[in-house]
Amino acid sequence: MFEAADPDRFAAKQADLHRAIGSLFEGYVGSLGLRSVSEPNVFADVVLWTSAEAASAAADALHEREELAWFPPEVGAVRFFDHLP
């Protein structure tokens, strides 16, 4: 869960983010993008992976992918990030 630097811009690109993750990283199963109703600058991306290793590998490589270079600057304060079994 994180605060977007520009909430409307991120909302418009959130589905693109999920499609890119699905096509770029092995072990992707599916994902869901959420936006808070009470705090419209707060988003959550729930991503399902085949294993914790696949999730960690994607998280580590995300910043190295040119296709996703727009994403890190969009993330403001991170409120919660974890890999859940």
Side-chain angles (χ1 to χ4, degrees), residues 43-65:
F43 292 81
D45 290 307
V46 179
V47 184
L48 304 175
W49 300 94
T50 56
S51 67
E53 293 78 19
S56 292
D60 291 343
L62 182 114
H63 299 286
E64 299 170 9
R65 299 303 304 228

PDB file of all heavy atoms in Angstrom, residues 43-65:
ATOM      1  N   PHE A  43      -3.074   3.747  -2.806  1.00  0.00           N
ATOM      2  CA  PHE A  43      -3.299   2.612  -3.698  1.00  0.00           C
ATOM      3  C   PHE A  43      -2.725   1.346  -3.081  1.00  0.00           C
ATOM      4  O   PHE A  43      -1.815   1.409  -2.247  1.00  0.00           O
ATOM      5  CB  PHE A  43      -2.607   2.845  -5.046  1.00  0.00           C
ATOM      6  CG  PHE A  43      -3.219   3.943  -5.850  1.00  0.00           C
ATOM      7  CD1 PHE A  43      -2.906   5.274  -5.591  1.00  0.00           C
ATOM      8  CD2 PHE A  43      -4.124   3.664  -6.855  1.00  0.00           C
ATOM      9  CE1 PHE A  43      -3.467   6.301  -6.324  1.00  0.00           C
ATOM     10  CE2 PHE A  43      -4.695   4.684  -7.597  1.00  0.00           C
ATOM     11  CZ  PHE A  43      -4.365   6.003  -7.334  1.00  0.00           C
ATOM     12  N   ALA A  44      -3.240   0.219  -3.545  1.00  0.00           N
ATOM     13  CA  ALA A  44      -2.682  -1.078  -3.181  1.00  0.00           C
ATOM     14  C   ALA A  44      -2.649  -1.929  -4.439  1.00  0.00           C
ATOM     15  O   ALA A  44      -3.588  -1.918  -5.227  1.00  0.00           O
ATOM     16  CB  ALA A  44      -3.516  -1.752  -2.103  1.00  0.00           C
ATOM     17  N   ASP A  45      -1.556  -2.615  -4.623  1.00  0.00           N
ATOM     18  CA  ASP A  45      -1.423  -3.569  -5.716  1.00  0.00           C
ATOM     19  C   ASP A  45      -1.216  -4.942  -5.093  1.00  0.00           C
ATOM     20  O   ASP A  45      -0.199  -5.186  -4.443  1.00  0.00           O
ATOM     21  CB  ASP A  45      -0.228  -3.216  -6.611  1.00  0.00           C
ATOM     22  CG  ASP A  45      -0.466  -1.954  -7.416  1.00  0.00           C
ATOM     23  OD1 ASP A  45      -1.498  -1.884  -8.090  1.00  0.00           O
ATOM     24  OD2 ASP A  45       0.373  -1.042  -7.351  1.00  0.00           O
ATOM     25  N   VAL A  46      -2.192  -5.810  -5.272  1.00  0.00           N
ATOM     26  CA  VAL A  46      -2.108  -7.177  -4.771  1.00  0.00           C
ATOM     27  C   VAL A  46      -1.716  -8.037  -5.961  1.00  0.00           C
ATOM     28  O   VAL A  46      -2.449  -8.110  -6.952  1.00  0.00           O
ATOM     29  CB  VAL A  46      -3.454  -7.639  -4.183  1.00  0.00           C
ATOM     30  CG1 VAL A  46      -3.356  -9.073  -3.680  1.00  0.00           C
ATOM     31  CG2 VAL A  46      -3.891  -6.696  -3.066  1.00  0.00           C
ATOM     32  N   VAL A  47      -0.551  -8.666  -5.874  1.00  0.00           N
ATOM     33  CA  VAL A  47      -0.036  -9.464  -6.985  1.00  0.00           C
ATOM     34  C   VAL A  47       0.190 -10.888  -6.490  1.00  0.00           C
ATOM     35  O   VAL A  47       0.826 -11.092  -5.455  1.00  0.00           O
ATOM     36  CB  VAL A  47       1.282  -8.869  -7.538  1.00  0.00           C
ATOM     37  CG1 VAL A  47       1.747  -9.664  -8.746  1.00  0.00           C
ATOM     38  CG2 VAL A  47       1.099  -7.401  -7.898  1.00  0.00           C
ATOM     39  N   LEU A  48      -0.340 -11.843  -7.232  1.00  0.00           N
ATOM     40  CA  LEU A  48      -0.201 -13.253  -6.887  1.00  0.00           C
ATOM     41  C   LEU A  48       0.904 -13.879  -7.723  1.00  0.00           C
ATOM     42  O   LEU A  48       0.973 -13.661  -8.936  1.00  0.00           O
ATOM     43  CB  LEU A  48      -1.515 -13.990  -7.137  1.00  0.00           C
ATOM     44  CG  LEU A  48      -2.737 -13.419  -6.429  1.00  0.00           C
ATOM     45  CD1 LEU A  48      -3.992 -14.172  -6.855  1.00  0.00           C
ATOM     46  CD2 LEU A  48      -2.571 -13.473  -4.927  1.00  0.00           C
ATOM     47  N   TRP A  49       1.751 -14.661  -7.054  1.00  0.00           N
ATOM     48  CA  TRP A  49       2.894 -15.305  -7.693  1.00  0.00           C
ATOM     49  C   TRP A  49       2.867 -16.801  -7.411  1.00  0.00           C
ATOM     50  O   TRP A  49       2.261 -17.243  -6.439  1.00  0.00           O
ATOM     51  CB  TRP A  49       4.198 -14.714  -7.155  1.00  0.00           C
ATOM     52  CG  TRP A  49       4.320 -13.254  -7.408  1.00  0.00           C
ATOM     53  CD1 TRP A  49       3.974 -12.236  -6.578  1.00  0.00           C
ATOM     54  CD2 TRP A  49       4.816 -12.634  -8.597  1.00  0.00           C
ATOM     55  NE1 TRP A  49       4.213 -11.020  -7.172  1.00  0.00           N
ATOM     56  CE2 TRP A  49       4.733 -11.233  -8.412  1.00  0.00           C
ATOM     57  CE3 TRP A  49       5.314 -13.114  -9.802  1.00  0.00           C
ATOM     58  CZ2 TRP A  49       5.144 -10.330  -9.387  1.00  0.00           C
ATOM     59  CZ3 TRP A  49       5.717 -12.206 -10.769  1.00  0.00           C
ATOM     60  CH2 TRP A  49       5.631 -10.838 -10.554  1.00  0.00           C
ATOM     61  N   THR A  50       3.583 -17.554  -8.228  1.00  0.00           N
ATOM     62  CA  THR A  50       3.656 -18.999  -8.023  1.00  0.00           C
ATOM     63  C   THR A  50       4.496 -19.353  -6.811  1.00  0.00           C
ATOM     64  O   THR A  50       4.344 -20.435  -6.250  1.00  0.00           O
ATOM     65  CB  THR A  50       4.239 -19.710  -9.257  1.00  0.00           C
ATOM     66  OG1 THR A  50       5.517 -19.144  -9.560  1.00  0.00           O
ATOM     67  CG2 THR A  50       3.302 -19.576 -10.455  1.00  0.00           C
ATOM     68  N   SER A  51       5.392 -18.447  -6.408  1.00  0.00           N
ATOM     69  CA  SER A  51       6.252 -18.714  -5.251  1.00  0.00           C
ATOM     70  C   SER A  51       6.774 -17.408  -4.668  1.00  0.00           C
ATOM     71  O   SER A  51       6.769 -16.370  -5.345  1.00  0.00           O
ATOM     72  CB  SER A  51       7.450 -19.583  -5.665  1.00  0.00           C
ATOM     73  OG  SER A  51       8.308 -18.852  -6.534  1.00  0.00           O
ATOM     74  N   ALA A  52       7.235 -17.477  -3.437  1.00  0.00           N
ATOM     75  CA  ALA A  52       7.849 -16.313  -2.801  1.00  0.00           C
ATOM     76  C   ALA A  52       9.121 -15.914  -3.545  1.00  0.00           C
ATOM     77  O   ALA A  52       9.440 -14.733  -3.641  1.00  0.00           O
ATOM     78  CB  ALA A  52       8.157 -16.609  -1.334  1.00  0.00           C
ATOM     79  N   GLU A  53       9.826 -16.891  -4.096  1.00  0.00           N
ATOM     80  CA  GLU A  53      11.045 -16.602  -4.847  1.00  0.00           C
ATOM     81  C   GLU A  53      10.741 -15.793  -6.109  1.00  0.00           C
ATOM     82  O   GLU A  53      11.476 -14.864  -6.445  1.00  0.00           O
ATOM     83  CB  GLU A  53      11.777 -17.907  -5.214  1.00  0.00           C
ATOM     84  CG  GLU A  53      12.343 -18.653  -4.027  1.00  0.00           C
ATOM     85  CD  GLU A  53      11.299 -19.459  -3.240  1.00  0.00           C
ATOM     86  OE1 GLU A  53      10.213 -19.743  -3.777  1.00  0.00           O
ATOM     87  OE2 GLU A  53      11.570 -19.763  -2.067  1.00  0.00           O
ATOM     88  N   ALA A  54       9.663 -16.156  -6.800  1.00  0.00           N
ATOM     89  CA  ALA A  54       9.273 -15.409  -8.006  1.00  0.00           C
ATOM     90  C   ALA A  54       8.888 -13.979  -7.640  1.00  0.00           C
ATOM     91  O   ALA A  54       9.253 -13.028  -8.342  1.00  0.00           O
ATOM     92  CB  ALA A  54       8.119 -16.106  -8.719  1.00  0.00           C
ATOM     93  N   ALA A  55       8.180 -13.813  -6.536  1.00  0.00           N
ATOM     94  CA  ALA A  55       7.779 -12.478  -6.086  1.00  0.00           C
ATOM     95  C   ALA A  55       9.001 -11.636  -5.737  1.00  0.00           C
ATOM     96  O   ALA A  55       9.094 -10.471  -6.128  1.00  0.00           O
ATOM     97  CB  ALA A  55       6.851 -12.590  -4.879  1.00  0.00           C
ATOM     98  N   SER A  56       9.942 -12.210  -5.023  1.00  0.00           N
ATOM     99  CA  SER A  56      11.151 -11.482  -4.633  1.00  0.00           C
ATOM    100  C   SER A  56      11.993 -11.112  -5.843  1.00  0.00           C
ATOM    101  O   SER A  56      12.514  -9.999  -5.925  1.00  0.00           O
ATOM    102  CB  SER A  56      11.980 -12.311  -3.656  1.00  0.00           C
ATOM    103  OG  SER A  56      11.307 -12.447  -2.432  1.00  0.00           O
ATOM    104  N   ALA A  57      12.117 -12.038  -6.786  1.00  0.00           N
ATOM    105  CA  ALA A  57      12.891 -11.765  -7.994  1.00  0.00           C
ATOM    106  C   ALA A  57      12.275 -10.615  -8.786  1.00  0.00           C
ATOM    107  O   ALA A  57      12.985  -9.730  -9.273  1.00  0.00           O
ATOM    108  CB  ALA A  57      12.987 -13.023  -8.857  1.00  0.00           C
ATOM    109  N   ALA A  58      10.957 -10.604  -8.907  1.00  0.00           N
ATOM    110  CA  ALA A  58      10.283  -9.522  -9.632  1.00  0.00           C
ATOM    111  C   ALA A  58      10.448  -8.196  -8.897  1.00  0.00           C
ATOM    112  O   ALA A  58      10.716  -7.167  -9.518  1.00  0.00           O
ATOM    113  CB  ALA A  58       8.806  -9.860  -9.810  1.00  0.00           C
ATOM    114  N   ALA A  59      10.297  -8.206  -7.590  1.00  0.00           N
ATOM    115  CA  ALA A  59      10.452  -6.970  -6.806  1.00  0.00           C
ATOM    116  C   ALA A  59      11.869  -6.411  -6.962  1.00  0.00           C
ATOM    117  O   ALA A  59      12.049  -5.195  -7.100  1.00  0.00           O
ATOM    118  CB  ALA A  59      10.142  -7.230  -5.336  1.00  0.00           C
ATOM    119  N   ASP A  60      12.858  -7.283  -6.967  1.00  0.00           N
ATOM    120  CA  ASP A  60      14.249  -6.844  -7.112  1.00  0.00           C
ATOM    121  C   ASP A  60      14.532  -6.301  -8.511  1.00  0.00           C
ATOM    122  O   ASP A  60      15.304  -5.360  -8.672  1.00  0.00           O
ATOM    123  CB  ASP A  60      15.212  -8.002  -6.821  1.00  0.00           C
ATOM    124  CG  ASP A  60      15.214  -8.410  -5.359  1.00  0.00           C
ATOM    125  OD1 ASP A  60      14.740  -7.626  -4.504  1.00  0.00           O
ATOM    126  OD2 ASP A  60      15.681  -9.531  -5.072  1.00  0.00           O
ATOM    127  N   ALA A  61      13.907  -6.889  -9.534  1.00  0.00           N
ATOM    128  CA  ALA A  61      14.189  -6.520 -10.923  1.00  0.00           C
ATOM    129  C   ALA A  61      13.307  -5.396 -11.440  1.00  0.00           C
ATOM    130  O   ALA A  61      13.607  -4.815 -12.491  1.00  0.00           O
ATOM    131  CB  ALA A  61      14.033  -7.745 -11.819  1.00  0.00           C
ATOM    132  N   LEU A  62      12.247  -5.071 -10.737  1.00  0.00           N
ATOM    133  CA  LEU A  62      11.286  -4.074 -11.212  1.00  0.00           C
ATOM    134  C   LEU A  62      11.951  -2.757 -11.578  1.00  0.00           C
ATOM    135  O   LEU A  62      11.664  -2.169 -12.610  1.00  0.00           O
ATOM    136  CB  LEU A  62      10.215  -3.844 -10.132  1.00  0.00           C
ATOM    137  CG  LEU A  62       9.138  -2.865 -10.517  1.00  0.00           C
ATOM    138  CD1 LEU A  62       7.805  -3.602 -10.621  1.00  0.00           C
ATOM    139  CD2 LEU A  62       9.035  -1.759  -9.500  1.00  0.00           C
ATOM    140  N   HIS A  63      12.885  -2.304 -10.769  1.00  0.00           N
ATOM    141  CA  HIS A  63      13.531  -1.008 -10.997  1.00  0.00           C
ATOM    142  C   HIS A  63      14.505  -1.031 -12.171  1.00  0.00           C
ATOM    143  O   HIS A  63      14.923   0.024 -12.639  1.00  0.00           O
ATOM    144  CB  HIS A  63      14.257  -0.552  -9.731  1.00  0.00           C
ATOM    145  CG  HIS A  63      13.326  -0.364  -8.576  1.00  0.00           C
ATOM    146  ND1 HIS A  63      12.462   0.702  -8.484  1.00  0.00           N
ATOM    147  CD2 HIS A  63      13.093  -1.126  -7.486  1.00  0.00           C
ATOM    148  CE1 HIS A  63      11.760   0.605  -7.378  1.00  0.00           C
ATOM    149  NE2 HIS A  63      12.107  -0.500  -6.749  1.00  0.00           N
ATOM    150  N   GLU A  64      14.852  -2.221 -12.636  1.00  0.00           N
ATOM    151  CA  GLU A  64      15.797  -2.346 -13.746  1.00  0.00           C
ATOM    152  C   GLU A  64      15.100  -2.399 -15.111  1.00  0.00           C
ATOM    153  O   GLU A  64      15.772  -2.347 -16.130  1.00  0.00           O
ATOM    154  CB  GLU A  64      16.627  -3.612 -13.553  1.00  0.00           C
ATOM    155  CG  GLU A  64      17.440  -3.600 -12.277  1.00  0.00           C
ATOM    156  CD  GLU A  64      18.061  -4.948 -11.974  1.00  0.00           C
ATOM    157  OE1 GLU A  64      18.007  -5.848 -12.839  1.00  0.00           O
ATOM    158  OE2 GLU A  64      18.585  -5.104 -10.864  1.00  0.00           O
ATOM    159  N   ARG A  65      13.791  -2.519 -15.125  1.00  0.00           N
ATOM    160  CA  ARG A  65      13.069  -2.663 -16.374  1.00  0.00           C
ATOM    161  C   ARG A  65      12.699  -1.300 -16.951  1.00  0.00           C
ATOM    162  O   ARG A  65      12.008  -0.510 -16.324  1.00  0.00           O
ATOM    163  CB  ARG A  65      11.787  -3.485 -16.173  1.00  0.00           C
ATOM    164  CG  ARG A  65      12.004  -4.897 -15.679  1.00  0.00           C
ATOM    165  CD  ARG A  65      12.906  -5.701 -16.580  1.00  0.00           C
ATOM    166  NE  ARG A  65      12.453  -5.746 -17.940  1.00  0.00           N
ATOM    167  CZ  ARG A  65      12.366  -6.846 -18.663  1.00  0.00           C
ATOM    168  NH1 ARG A  65      12.699  -8.002 -18.156  1.00  0.00           N
ATOM    169  NH2 ARG A  65      11.966  -6.783 -19.908  1.00  0.00           N
TER     170      ARG A  65
END
